[in-house]
Amino acid sequence: VNLKNDLNSTNFVGYDKHEIKAKLQSIVVKNEFKESIRAKSENLILIFNSTPFYAESGGQVGDIGSVYNEKNELVAEIVDTRKAPGDIFLHFVKNNNLDLEIGSFYYLKIDFERRIKIRNNHSATHLLHESLRQILGDHVSQRGSLVNDDKLRFDYSSNKPLKISLTNKVEELVNNSIRSNMKVIIQNKHLKNAIDEGAIALFGEKYPDIVRVVSMKDNDKKNILTSIELCGGTHCDYTGEIGFFKILNDSSIASGIRRIEAVTGNEARNHVSHKIYLLDE
């Protein structure tokens, strides 16, 4: 199936909206377009004209959630969202509860609690990146990342393991920045202007002329981070929403490239509580 020739780009509204009414444009089953599909069909891909579901990109996993009909009946559960060439968003469904028909309108609703955890982890990844640059040096650059609702994973260029004393410094800087509750500012800018203003671009990435710039800064406070990065992902509104940041481990994954895994919020609290429990025992 060549979607790009047959369909327009999906209108993504998920930065601002978590639930919308949208028109079903295509149903794809086993690489074939279907006009309609009966209930209890398996492994469908649904394509809508508009969506609040974030498609896996830039290390951030795709959203999951639900599709309802106009009678508010649950039609299907979306288990993953990905992007096809031409910015066409693919909503993956394992099996549908009710019949589906193209041209009909449905209500799309993301799993917002999961999204909150993902966006908190994504904002924490930006703070971690800047903290490593401050403590290890500006030569540190991102070499990959994974952001989901459980944890964050950050690959970076470095030849040396992160000593415990440096790990503590990295965590302290990130947690100070979380407690300072900085506003996360998101703006669209011309690429050249964004780079001139100090925004960090990812190595090897191709960017359009207009880019999305995610900034976290507070000029009045010391010992907190200033992070400005080009990023298409979802983020918290204020850094305080991240709650608490804890590094789980730092390991070598290739020559000159290391990987940090970390958790935030309740996951971080649970991790620390478990460690204290073991010590007490």
Side-chain angles (χ1 to χ4, degrees):
V1 176
N2 192 337
L3 299 170
K4 199 173 175 182
N5 294 346
D6 298 305
L7 295 170
N8 294 326
S9 298
T10 308
N11 176 31
F12 174 65
V13 296
Y15 292 134
D16 310 307
K17 295 176 181 169
H18 313 122
E19 184 179 352
I20 65 160
K21 184 179 179 180
K23 187 178 183 179
L24 181 58
Q25 288 190 310
S26 294
I27 302 167
V28 183
V29 185
K30 292 180 182 169
N31 244 0
E32 288 181 10
F33 284 120
K34 302 284 184 186
E35 292 285 317
S36 61
I37 203 92
R38 303 300 302 229
K40 304 300 176 191
S41 301
E42 293 191 339
N43 300 326
L44 325 173
I45 296 172
L46 306 180
I47 301 167
F48 297 88
N49 64 334
S50 195
T51 185
F53 283 74
Y54 183 86
E56 182 177 324
S57 177
Q60 181 175 326
V61 294
D63 278 327
I64 65 171
S66 311
V67 181
Y68 296 91
N69 63 16
E70 292 185 296
K71 296 177 186 170
N72 204 30
E73 297 167 317
L74 178 65
V75 178
E77 295 281 3
I78 292 168
V79 295
D80 194 11
T81 312
R82 296 187 194 171
K83 210 186 285 188
D87 276 355
I88 295 161
F89 283 56
L90 311 177
H91 305 78
F92 289 80
V93 172
K94 278 194 175 159
N95 49 37
N96 52 319
N97 297 337
L98 300 170
D99 298 353
L100 281 154
E101 190 173 359
I102 66 170
S104 296
F105 284 88
Y106 296 93
Y107 289 94
L108 308 183
K109 191 175 184 180
I110 68 169
D111 180 337
F112 190 52
E113 278 192 24
R114 178 177 178 270
R115 165 76 83 82
I116 285 172
K117 289 178 182 175
I118 293 168
R119 70 184 203 180
N120 288 350
N121 282 342
H122 202 151
S123 297
T125 303
H126 284 215
L127 292 174
L128 169 61
H129 186 189
E130 189 51 40
S131 182
L132 289 168
R133 280 164 55 84
Q134 280 208 18
I135 283 160
L136 300 181
D138 284 349
H139 64 276
V140 169
S141 64
Q142 183 172 333
R143 286 288 187 263
S145 70
L146 170 73
V147 180
N148 62 26
D149 51 322
D150 292 325
K151 65 180 180 183
L152 59 100
R153 195 177 77 200
F154 187 78
D155 300 343
Y156 66 103
S157 56
S158 181
N159 291 313
K160 297 176 186 171
L162 205 58
K163 294 178 192 165
I164 289 177
S165 60
L166 294 179
T167 301
N168 289 340
K169 280 185 179 176
V170 168
E171 287 182 344
E172 186 182 0
L173 262 180
V174 172
N175 281 312
N176 283 349
S177 305
I178 290 168
R179 279 191 296 272
S180 70
N181 202 26
M182 293 181 281
K183 173 95 176 105
V184 179
I185 296 163
I186 295 171
Q187 297 165 302
N188 291 318
K189 294 185 177 182
H190 283 281
L191 178 59
K192 186 180 183 303
N193 293 352
I195 300 294
D196 289 347
E197 288 167 20
I200 293 173
L202 292 191
F203 178 77
E205 281 276 322
K206 284 184 178 175
Y207 291 98
D209 290 339
I210 301 295
V211 289
R212 193 164 174 269
V213 183
V214 178
S215 307
M216 304 171 214
K217 53 186 175 182
D218 187 331
N219 301 327
D220 301 330
K221 292 180 182 173
K222 289 180 180 173
N223 298 322
I224 63 167
L225 300 161
T226 292
S227 167
I228 309 170
E229 286 195 35
L230 306 185
C231 181
T234 64
H235 287 273
C236 54
D237 296 320
Y238 289 87
T239 58
E241 292 165 31
I242 300 166
F244 175 44
F245 171 85
K246 185 72 189 157
I247 290 174
L248 301 180
N249 55 59
D250 170 71
S251 58
S252 172
I253 57 163
S255 177
I257 299 177
R258 300 195 66 79
R259 171 171 291 170
I260 284 177
E261 290 187 301
V263 283
T264 67
N266 225 25
E267 298 288 341
R269 190 194 69 82
N270 290 343
H271 173 76
V272 171
S273 295
H274 179 64
K275 292 282 190 192
I276 291 168
Y277 169 77
L278 293 176
L279 277 172
D280 286 350
E281 283 293 290

